[in-house]
Amino acid sequence: MMNCNIIKDLLPSYIDGICSEDTTKVVEEHLHHCEECRLYLEVMEQPTNNILPEEVMIAKAPFKRINKKRRIQVLISIMITFIITIIGSLVVQEVGAVHQIFFPMSTATVNLTDDKEEWNTLYFNDEDYLKFDSIFWDKEVVNDANSNGNVILRIKDVDGHVVVDEIEISPGKSIKLDGLKNNIKYSFEIKAKKGQFFINVV
């Protein structure tokens, strides 16, 4: 009797009807005596969307496991990334030191008791100067909306030279401080009429 592997190699041609008469007789004689090859033929003659041969299913099983494992790895990676992003955002928002690094801001409060409109030095964190010590400074000065009126601002360098001269800012408005450099001390001065003023530098 002919080897089953040879018969299985011939079955596609047999099904398509392109075997010679002698080959067809050999295949049919083998099929008559071999139940395994008959079952194999039945599976091959089924439509392609039906159950695949057992050998194919066995061969595909490891790949299914790999694909499932890969999907789990991707989902875990997405979840970890999401959690890290949320934690990072909360740290930046809630931890003052971290927030100050990425969103720096200094505030000076001035109470003027008369209308002399003299120059008054602004104090940021008890210092009579401000230094842009982070690349995240916008270098913008804001007259807070809660201030009692307009202020006139000027800025000096460490040598006392005026680098920004007499800019008027109304409450709730801001001015961009072009030309100021990082890591250099600047003193801020304002003059205004009687009232309380909140000056923010961001």
Side-chain angles (χ1 to χ4, degrees):
M1 184 180 295
M2 188 172 289
N3 185 287
C4 287
N5 289 332
I6 296 175
I7 294 298
K8 288 177 181 178
D9 289 341
L10 292 172
L11 284 179
S13 298
Y14 174 79
I15 292 171
D16 292 339
I18 58 175
C19 291
S20 66
E21 290 184 12
D22 291 340
T23 301
T24 300
K25 288 179 182 179
V26 171
V27 172
E28 289 177 347
E29 182 179 346
H30 181 90
L31 291 172
H32 183 69
H33 296 94
C34 181
E35 183 178 359
E36 179 185 344
C37 289
R38 280 200 307 276
L39 292 173
Y40 194 85
L41 175 64
E42 289 176 7
V43 171
M44 290 184 68
E45 288 179 330
Q46 290 178 2
T48 55
N49 60 347
N50 284 0
I51 299 173
L52 294 172
E54 184 179 354
E55 291 89 340
V56 176
M57 295 297 291
I58 293 172
K60 288 180 67 176
F63 294 99
K64 286 185 177 179
R65 286 196 294 271
I66 291 171
N67 288 338
K68 184 177 180 181
K69 185 177 179 182
R70 181 64 179 161
R71 286 196 296 270
I72 292 172
Q73 289 175 342
V74 170
L75 287 173
I76 291 173
S77 298
I78 291 171
M79 289 177 62
I80 291 174
T81 302
F82 177 75
I83 291 169
I84 290 173
T85 301
I86 294 298
I87 292 173
S89 298
L90 290 174
V91 167
V92 169
Q93 290 176 13
E94 301 299 329
V95 180
V98 176
H99 188 275
Q100 183 63 20
I101 291 173
F102 292 101
F103 305 98
M105 182 179 80
S106 286
T107 300
T109 303
V110 179
N111 286 297
L112 302 180
T113 57
D114 55 51
D115 291 327
K116 292 181 180 179
E117 294 193 47
E118 297 175 342
W119 288 109
N120 294 270
T121 301
L122 299 182
Y123 285 81
F124 300 96
N125 299 320
D126 296 325
E127 301 287 353
D128 61 354
Y129 65 87
L130 181 65
K131 183 166 64 173
F132 298 107
D133 52 1
S134 166
I135 62 172
F136 298 104
W137 284 97
D138 290 331
K139 295 179 182 173
E140 189 171 348
V141 62
V142 182
N143 184 9
D144 193 270
N146 293 314
S147 294
N148 290 138
N150 293 359
V151 298
I152 297 174
L153 172 79
R154 74 179 180 185
I155 302 173
K156 296 179 179 180
D157 62 17
V158 290
D159 297 319
H161 300 126
V162 176
V163 292
V164 175
D165 194 16
E166 299 199 16
I167 300 172
E168 187 170 4
I169 313 172
S170 56
K173 300 297 181 180
S174 64
I175 296 292
K176 190 76 173 173
L177 303 174
D178 296 322
L180 299 188
K181 299 178 181 178
N182 288 348
N183 297 312
I184 292 180
K185 296 178 180 179
Y186 294 101
S187 61
F188 288 67
E189 298 177 339
I190 66 165
K191 60 182 178 180
K193 293 184 178 181
K194 182 178 178 180
Q196 187 175 43
F197 302 89
F198 306 94
I199 307 301
N200 302 314
V201 180
V202 295

